Structure formats: structure tokens, C-alpha cells
Amino acid sequence: MKVALFIPCYIDQFYPQVGIATLQLLKRLGCRVSFPLQQSCCGQPMANSGFATRSKGCDNNFIDNFKHFDYIVAPSGSCVLHIKEHLKSETHPEEAAHIRGTIYELCEFLTDILQVEYIKASFPYKVGWHNSCHGQRGLYLSSMSETVSPEFSKPERLLNMVRGLHLSIPRRKDECCGFGGIFCISEEALSVKMGTDRIKEHELNEVDYISSADVSCLMHIEGILKRNKNNIKTIHIAEILNSKL
Amino acid sequence: MKTTHAALAEKFIANTAQTDWHDRTLWLVRQKRDKAVHTLPEWEILREWASQIKNHTLSQLSEYLSEFEQKAKANGIVVHWAADAEEHNRIIYKIIRKHNIQNIVKSKSMLTEECQLNKYLEQKGIEVVDTDLGERIVQLRKEPPSHIVLPAIHLKKQEVSETFHRYLKTEKGNHDPQYLTEAARQHLRTKFIESQLAITGVNFAVAETGGFVICTNEGNADMGAHIAAVHIACMGIEKIIPKARHLAVFLRLLARSATGQPITTYSSHFQQPGPGQELHIVIVDNGRSKHLGRKDFRNSLKCIRCAACFNTCPVYRKSGGYSYHSSITGPLGAILNPNTDMKASADLPFASTLCGSCSHVCPVKIDIHEQLWKWRQVIVAEGYVSRKKKTGMKIISFVLSRPSFYRFSGKAGRWIMRTFPFLLKNKLNPWFHSREMPEAPKQSFRDWYLKHKP
Ligand code: SF4
């Protein structure tokens, strides 16, 4: 199985450890993974700000890099959703369609394609889970509190395989953290208020870590935690699934 | 100063206690809704049916509207058509003049709010008494409603008590909700008895029967319509449903979505004028047909005004209705308002994280968050965006679409952050105002990969 690793730009630049964990994890699970070297960004920052017409360059570059694989995997629900919904090409429509149909967020790839039943990992900490909206409501990584449907959660199922991990779910289990891309800048006060309120719930639960399947939410939450000298740390699910503590 | 959602939200949040209370109260309503919908295993099927019925109706709106008009007329109802708010208000004013009416009661109607009917009539020296409790409270305070179902949800009982003390002469400092409600009841009772004209909204107008349904919890629409000699019901063109049996779908969805009740306390069917009464219907366009013509946005006309999307929206809950600076607030306002006034509403589609909760809570399956995304594209394309943002986007897209350039700037950026962190840690960077910057690693993932590649 030829798997391409897509490491979104801000993960590449600021959270390389998440990329490393994703790569190592996929390899341990038997995938032949390559990292196309000329990749950059999925184009979401432009599109969500209303400049989708400006993401053409990113689209073309993405198609160039990722057209020759069986699967594309990324540790970010938000970027994957963007590609799935908005990757377009006038010159290479078939390749774009192929990519849209074969790109997966890490948790859904492990669950639906690799059908992982066992992961050798241990992480003896109390971990508060944050459902990132795009992964959850866009990619259906888990059921959501709004709809009437059987409950499931792909990330929670994976985390429950980790030895020593104590999973903690906040009472408002799928409330947005307020990152929202451009929103975190244009609506700074509200964005921080939303993040602060999410953290409060995890604090009540006395978690050691807050984890999520999206680095962007974690970056925002981490920024607030650090500013307030809060001891809770953030960690991406790939790092937990790849950890042998 | 320009009042944007962001600025108004910041002001709202400055009062943390009030914000948290607002958030908790509306979250409670959302939880009641959850509890109610989980008692119906067929909930998702009902949503799908409602969505399809509405889609179908919108696709043949003019036919259903004509059918409705014809049946309504045959029932003895006087039907008026209004192209816009101005015409709607004028029609009502004419009826008032014709009968020389002094005393008017009005039950809840977001349409009359949209058309600013009260203000229009006030300017002509005519007073309208809003009879919905929440609406009466905000009317006394000379405020607009902050929520389409719970108009006074931004107020605590202490504030209501002060308002009633001032206008209804209740005891100072008595905050007891039952006492206050009783005072409002007595006050409104006299208004009902004196009323000569009752204005109401319409929740559903049935094409096949020419009748319509009004849903309230307080019975105030009925009280008005039964006492007054003249009843005017105002409806947007999208309120039509084809068959009476479709009510079985919508009435089950509406109250559960709005408040978690199985059905509103009063779901009153009006078919024809009562003996000696006059019954008018004003059917209003006011931008709706323009909306219908926008392919990407037309299905927002499916809306049944339940406000579930308000209660679920964390942005709404934590920034309050007034931060949307328009008569229809919340996520719904953010997708409706740009249609009629794009310039004034250019910030509203950006007042969202696109979390998608609204679309999944919506009983008629409006793709609210996708429309917010699409409105952003339209607003930018039509030029309602600052030059600063435009230039910024040009640079970002230039960098991100050129891999080597991106790598170079990433490296330079990280180097700067590591060496001179204070460069970015300044007031001009909104991120940094209340958040630390992510720590800059020495190497990017790609750098690491090139070193460790098998
Ligand atoms: S958009 Fe949907 S959820 Fe919002 S008020 Fe309308 S029907 Fe209700």
C-alpha cells in the first residue's frame, strides 16, 4: 500500500514532532510511506478567509505532489476536510477527484483502512479529549451531540487501546475551542474566550494533557494555557499512539 | 467607530459573569432540545422529510402561493402582496386608517421586526403593544429582540424587575418571576380587551386549504385575534407548505428544536374570519425572491425560525444577539442579512469558526456553515473587504503555492521567532494579545525527514 504523508504547513514549521510521530506510527503498522518533498499548504487559510480563488496555486501544487498514491494521510482533520471539499483543477480534474477520494485523516485511516485492533503504545496520563469540529462534523470521526444516531468515536476507540491512558471527556463533549482559522485573529477576544472556557472544563477534570486530532486547535489551546502558566500540556493523538512511555 | 461583530463581541465578553450566564442559559435550552429529540428515534427522518418538503415547495413557490391565495380568498380572507418592507408597512397603515383604529396588539413576528413596522407606525403616531412577554419587556426598554424565539434572553430577572417597576409600577426589588409574570399578564390583559386590531405572524401557511397556523406558548396571538375586530397576519413568501398533512412533520420539529417541548402550547389554526371580523394576510417578499435566485443560498429560505442554530452556536452564546447588529441575529442572521445589505453585513459570515454545529442541529437541514463559507467568497469577490486583508492574502497565497519560497520563508520565520521572539510578541499581533506563540523548533518536519529518510 503506497501511502503519502501530507504534513500541513504549520505542522511542518512548528510541530515537526507530530509529523514524525505520524510517520513512525504508519510505518510500524506496515505502510510504505513517502513524503512528497515539494508539498506546502492545502489552501485552507485563503479559502476560509473568502479568498478561495487565490488557492489555485496551492491546489495545483497539491495535485502535483500527491497524484500518484493509493492513499494520502494527514494528522489534521481540518486540512483533510478542506481538500475533500474544495480541491479543484480545471486541467487535471481526474487527479483532483482521485485525491479527494483517497485522502484520510490519521484516525479514520487507522480505523477504516488499516482496521487497527491493537496498538502497542503506553501513555500513563489523564488525557482530556477535544473533538475538533472539522474532523468530527466534517469527516464524521465521531458521532455528534446534535444528531440522533448511534454513538461512536474513532479517536476514542484508538486511545482506549493505549496502556495506562486515562481518557477524560468534558461535559460539553463537542463544543468548539474557538480557533477557527482566520477567526482566531479577526475575532481575537471571542476566540480566546471560547478557548478559555474549553480549558476550564478540562481543568475541572484535572487532566495532565489535552489531546486532539487537529494541531490547529491544540496550538490555540496551548497558547492560552502557556499565557496563563497552566500546567496542562497539549499533545496530538499521533504522539500518544506512537508513545512507548 | 464602525461597529463590527468582533468589536461588539469584545465589549460583550468584557462582562464575564454576564457572558457566562448567557452562555449557560442558552446551552440549557440546547440540552432541553437534545433530550426532546432523543425521545424520537425517527428524528433524522423527520428532518430529511422537512427538508425535502421545503425544497420541493421552494422549487414551485409561485404555484403554491397562487393556490394559497385562491383558497384563502375563497375562505373570506383578504390577501395582500407586498414587494418590500415599505409596502408591507403601508398596507397595514392603510387598514388602520380605514377603520380609524387606536388600539393595536401584536404577537411575535420576526417579519414585522424585519420590516420595522413598530417604528414606522410610531412615526405616524400609532402605538403597537407587543404581547409576547419577552417582546413586551424589550419593547418597554426600547431595545430590539436579541434572539428570535427568546427576545429578552440577554436580560436577567433583576433587569426585568427594574423595567417593570419603572413602567408597570411593580414593587421595587421584587424579582420573583411569578410575581413579575403576573404583573405583565394583568397589564397585557387590559391591552387585549381594548384592542381593535391584532397583528400576528404566521408559522405555516397551507396552500391546499388557504389556512394558516400560528404557534405560541403564551396564547397571546389567539387572545389578540379573537378579541379584535380586525386581524392582520403577516408572512414571508417562504412560509408556505403544500398540504395540511405536512404540519405533522413541521409541528413535531419546531417546538422540540426551539425549546425542547413536544409541541408549542398553542398551535392555532386560522381558516376564515370569525363572525363580524375581518381577516387579512400580507404576503411579503422583501428580498426573498432575490435570495431564491441565489443558487448557493436559496435553501436558507427553508428556515422555520426555531432558533436551534442560535442556541447551539458558541459564537452566539458567548457574544450575544446585539453583536450581530441587525434585526435577525445569530448564525441565521449571518446567512440572511448579506442578501439584502451586503456592505452592512460583510463581517457577519466571518463571525463563525465554521464548526458546523448549526447545520446539524437545524431541523430543516439548512447547510448554514457552508453558506457562511460561501458568503465569505461572495463578499470578497464583491470587494467588501479591507485592502490590508487583500494584500495579506496575496502574499500568503504567493508564498504557500511556491514550495521553495514557502520553505525559505518558513525557515526565516522560525529563525526570527527563535532569535528575536519579542519581534512577534507585540501588541500588533492579535494572536499574542492573550496567547503565547508556538515555540519555534530548530528544524521543520521536512528538514528532519531529509536527515532520517530510509
Ligand atoms: S436555520 Fe434552521 S436551526 Fe436556524 S432558525 Fe432556521 S430552521 Fe431553526
Side-chain angles (χ1 to χ4, degrees):
Chain A
M1 179 185 301
K2 253 171 53 185
V3 177
L5 189 59
F6 166 42
I7 299 298
C9 50
Y10 65 98
I11 301 182
D12 175 47
Q13 291 297 321
F14 294 114
Y15 296 91
Q17 71 275 19
V18 175
I20 297 169
T22 307
L23 176 70
Q24 290 178 340
L25 182 65
L26 288 172
K27 279 192 170 165
R28 266 173 49 203
L29 293 168
C31 301
R32 251 177 51 217
V33 190
S34 6
F35 176 73
L37 287 169
Q38 300 305 321
Q39 58 179 285
S40 67
C41 171
C42 62
Q44 182 175 209
M46 279 82 81
N48 281 7
S49 311
F51 291 81
T53 45
R54 290 217 158 271
S55 61
K56 244 183 228 148
C58 283
D59 283 359
N60 290 336
N61 188 54
F62 199 92
I63 293 170
D64 275 352
N65 274 276
F66 289 102
K67 60 187 167 197
H68 293 308
F69 295 92
D70 301 328
Y71 295 103
I72 305 159
V73 179
S76 159
S78 178
C79 302
V80 169
L81 180 67
H82 175 76
I83 293 290
K84 260 191 190 311
E85 287 186 338
H86 301 295
L87 183 79
K88 276 195 306 267
S89 167
E90 274 158 27
T91 45
H92 300 90
E94 275 157 30
E95 272 118 337
H98 170 72
I99 289 174
R100 287 197 304 269
T102 50
I103 187 163
Y104 284 84
E105 182 280 332
L106 177 66
C107 296
E108 63 176 347
F109 185 72
L110 298 182
T111 309
D112 301 339
I113 305 302
L114 296 186
Q115 304 189 358
V116 166
E117 295 292 340
Y118 170 77
I119 288 182
K120 193 168 178 319
S122 95
F123 195 74
Y125 294 101
K126 187 161 185 186
V127 175
W129 181 247
H130 174 68
N131 274 311
S132 295
C133 304
H134 287 175
Q136 184 193 24
R137 299 196 184 86
L139 297 172
Y140 301 103
L141 292 187
S142 64
S143 54
M144 56 195 112
S145 58
E146 292 87 4
T147 55
V148 178
S149 55
E151 279 200 36
F152 70 94
S153 166
K154 295 174 190 179
E156 279 178 39
R157 183 181 155 273
L158 293 168
L159 287 173
N160 282 329
M161 297 176 192
V162 177
R163 215 155 29 90
L165 186 144
H166 179 95
L167 190 61
S168 156
I169 307 295
R171 264 200 303 184
R172 293 192 193 180
K173 62 177 183 174
D174 49 11
E175 173 110 319
C176 176
C177 69
F179 171 69
I182 181 83
F183 182 86
C184 76
I185 299 292
S186 62
E187 293 260 4
E188 186 264 334
L190 186 49
S191 168
V192 170
K193 171 70 179 152
M194 288 166 72
T196 307
D197 288 354
R198 297 317 302 133
I199 290 170
K200 259 191 216 142
E201 275 210 54
H202 290 289
E203 247 178 333
L204 280 178
N205 294 341
E206 300 181 328
V207 304
D208 304 305
Y209 287 88
I210 297 174
S211 183
S212 163
D214 233 310
V215 182
S216 49
C217 306
L218 292 174
M219 178 166 74
H220 163 68
I221 291 169
E222 180 191 40
I224 301 173
L225 285 169
K226 280 194 176 161
R227 174 58 59 88
N228 296 310
K229 311 234 177 316
N230 194 316
N231 289 330
I232 299 175
K233 293 183 280 293
T234 53
I235 190 166
H236 188 267
I237 187 169
E239 296 174 85
I240 295 180
L241 298 178
N242 191 46
S243 101
K244 289 155 227 114
L245 292 174
Chain B
M1 198 192 90
K2 199 175 168 259
T3 43
T4 59
H5 182 274
L8 294 167
E10 190 174 348
K11 222 165 93 193
F12 185 81
I13 294 165
N15 186 343
T16 312
Q18 184 92 5
T19 307
D20 289 346
W21 173 81
H22 191 261
D23 172 60
R24 263 199 316 275
T25 310
L26 288 164
W27 181 254
L28 210 73
V29 182
R30 156 81 210 271
Q31 282 181 309
K32 281 192 191 160
R33 172 261 174 211
D34 290 352
K35 222 169 142 193
V37 308
H38 279 281
T39 61
L40 294 186
E42 69 272 36
W43 181 254
E44 299 303 329
I45 299 172
L46 283 175
R47 284 178 74 218
E48 182 55 31
W49 284 353
S51 170
Q52 287 189 22
I53 294 167
K54 283 282 184 181
N55 277 336
H56 164 82
T57 313
L58 288 173
S59 73
Q60 310 180 24
L61 195 54
S62 60
E63 283 88 341
Y64 284 120
L65 282 167
S66 315
E67 184 184 351
F68 176 76
E69 177 185 35
Q70 197 195 338
K71 297 277 165 60
K73 278 183 173 162
N75 295 341
I77 301 175
V78 188
V79 179
H80 310 260
W81 297 90
D84 53 23
E86 163 65 30
E87 193 174 2
H88 161 265
N89 295 345
R90 224 178 325 120
I91 290 167
I92 294 176
Y93 178 61
K94 256 197 184 147
I95 301 172
I96 294 173
R97 289 298 303 268
K98 187 178 129 206
H99 295 278
N100 198 15
I101 286 168
Q102 311 295 329
N103 300 319
I104 304 170
V105 290
K106 178 162 80 67
S107 64
K108 189 139 79 229
S109 142
M110 281 318 295
L111 176 67
T112 57
E113 198 62 42
E114 173 188 324
C115 297
Q116 302 272 301
L117 175 68
N118 285 9
K119 209 163 127 205
Y120 173 91
L121 292 177
E122 226 168 76
Q123 280 163 1
K124 305 224 175 280
I126 298 166
E127 191 206 359
V128 178
V129 175
D130 283 331
T131 57
D132 173 89
L133 177 56
E135 286 210 323
R136 187 61 182 149
I137 295 169
V138 292
Q139 187 180 39
L140 289 172
R141 296 170 62 92
K142 304 191 174 38
E143 289 172 358
S146 71
H147 183 288
I148 58 170
V149 170
L150 311 160
I153 195 66
H154 58 291
L155 298 170
K156 288 186 155 179
K157 60 184 180 200
Q158 288 80 354
E159 293 163 289
V160 175
S161 164
E162 274 160 36
T163 308
F164 279 14
H165 171 65
R166 181 156 166 216
Y167 295 100
L168 308 184
K169 305 286 170 277
T170 55
E171 286 164 33
K172 191 170 177 58
N174 192 338
H175 307 154
D176 179 38
Q178 179 145 14
Y179 168 73
L180 295 173
T181 315
E182 184 56 31
R185 186 188 295 254
Q186 295 306 333
H187 159 71
L188 288 170
R189 194 57 50 115
T190 56
K191 301 289 179 193
F192 281 125
I193 291 171
E194 293 163 1
S195 72
Q196 299 156 291
L197 166 66
I199 301 172
T200 69
V202 168
N203 288 89
F204 305 99
V206 183
E208 82 174 331
T209 65
F212 58 94
V213 176
I214 305 175
C215 304
T216 71
N217 273 333
E218 297 167 22
N220 55 320
D222 308 76
M223 210 111 65
H226 291 154
I227 294 172
V230 184
H231 173 190
I232 308 176
C234 307
M235 60 177 263
I237 53 173
E238 82 285 14
K239 293 287 170 207
I240 289 276
I241 54 173
K243 306 259 177 228
R245 65 165 189 267
H246 294 151
L247 287 166
V249 175
F250 289 105
L251 291 180
R252 296 184 80 196
L253 287 166
L254 177 61
R256 284 185 174 85
S257 298
T259 55
Q261 296 165 268
I263 191 158
T264 39
T265 316
Y266 299 86
S267 306
S268 308
H269 299 242
F270 294 84
Q271 192 80 21
Q272 59 193 38
Q277 277 189 321
E278 245 180 56
L279 178 51
H280 299 259
I281 287 188
V282 188
I283 304 174
V284 185
D285 184 331
N286 203 34
R288 285 165 177 76
S289 53
K290 184 170 161 202
H291 218 136
L292 199 61
R294 297 184 191 262
K295 196 172 119 284
D296 285 342
F297 304 105
R298 67 183 307 193
N299 88 27
S300 57
L301 293 172
K302 292 192 289 186
C303 178
I304 57 171
R305 300 291 192 271
C306 72
C309 58
F310 290 57
N311 306 334
T312 204
C313 177
V315 168
Y316 178 84
R317 272 188 267 114
K318 291 170 206 264
S319 66
Y322 294 153
S323 65
Y324 293 83
H325 55 81
S326 45
S327 64
I328 307 241
T329 64
L332 174 65
I335 59 169
L336 292 184
N337 296 323
N339 173 55
T340 39
D341 192 346
M342 203 178 297
K343 190 166 173 220
S345 328
D347 58 324
L348 296 182
F350 292 90
S352 163
T353 60
L354 306 180
C355 78
S357 181
C358 46
S359 307
H360 290 97
V361 92
C362 177
V364 290
K365 290 192 167 183
I366 298 173
D367 53 347
I368 305 169
H369 74 292
E370 283 164 27
Q371 293 194 27
L372 289 168
W373 189 91
K374 288 175 187 163
W375 272 121
R376 293 180 184 188
Q377 314 305 323
V378 175
I379 284 163
V380 167
E382 310 238 328
Y384 296 111
V385 66
S386 72
R387 175 165 304 169
K388 199 172 122 202
K389 199 163 157 192
K390 247 189 244 169
T391 324
M393 276 302 144
K394 237 185 229 168
I395 297 172
I396 294 181
S397 63
F398 180 85
V399 172
L400 291 179
S401 55
R402 287 166 181 76
S404 54
F405 208 85
Y406 151 74
R407 285 197 296 273
F408 169 76
S409 19
K411 226 175 243 166
R414 263 183 294 124
W415 180 79
I416 289 176
M417 271 183 68
R418 236 185 13 253
T419 327
F420 307 108
F422 53 87
L423 273 186
L424 289 165
K425 297 186 178 179
N426 64 38
K427 277 205 297 267
L428 295 176
N429 177 358
W431 176 279
F432 187 67
H433 186 255
S434 303
R435 283 166 291 209
E436 293 299 323
M437 302 298 298
E439 241 157 70
K442 284 209 189 59
Q443 56 182 0
S444 70
F445 172 76
R446 187 176 186 273
D447 297 337
W448 176 90
Y449 181 81
L450 288 174
K451 274 184 218 150
H452 294 79
K453 205 165 61 162

